Amino acid sequence: MTDAPVLQQINLVVTDLDETIAFCRLLGWDVEHPGFGHLEVDTGSGVTIEFDEVESVAMWNRGSAGVGSGTTVVTLSVRSRDEVDRMCAVLTEAGYACPQPPFDAFWGSRFAIITDRDGNQFGLMSPVDADRRYRPPQPPPAD
């Protein structure tokens, strides 16, 4: 047994919780508006993703820089390679940006990155297929 910290939740700061709820529903999460600026999403993995509007996060983090996209990617497992493409299409058709279109990643998964309206990045990753692993010769494709 180790005393190392265990991942429990990820908190993201957002500007509009209604918009965030719409994004979450497109991802397939059954969420309802809580009636205030904080939403907790049980991802079914034991890790909770929590979204706080700027005013809400100020109640528990006085050092918050507010909304701003960074380098964090919250990666979500999907059940198949085709599901990566399908979900990416649904989300981009709804107007969300896809800075990394779906591609066959060197580690053997199908992978894409989609962003919510605040610039938070969400990776969509299929199960790893060991037969599809390769050494990365170049950066991932732009399109």
Side-chain angles (χ1 to χ4, degrees), residues 26-71:
L26 286 171
L27 287 174
W29 293 331
D30 184 21
V31 296
E32 297 297 324
H33 198 294
F36 58 99
H38 174 81
L39 175 67
E40 295 180 15
V41 179
D42 178 357
T43 65
S45 66
V47 175
T48 302
I49 297 179
E50 299 189 7
F51 298 90
D52 281 281
E53 288 183 330
V54 175
E55 298 78 20
S56 175
V57 76
M59 291 186 288
W60 57 268
N61 181 1
R62 69 179 183 179
S64 174
V67 175
S69 59
T71 58

Side-chain angles (χ1 to χ4, degrees), residues 7-8 40 56-57 61 103 107 109 111 122 126:
L7 181 61
Q8 176 178 330
E40 295 180 15
S56 175
V57 76
N61 181 1
F103 76 108
W107 61 86
S109 292
F111 186 74
F122 291 83
S126 74

Side-chain angles (χ1 to χ4, degrees), residues 4 7 11 15 37 42 70 75:
L7 181 61
N11 291 80
T15 55
D42 178 357
T75 300

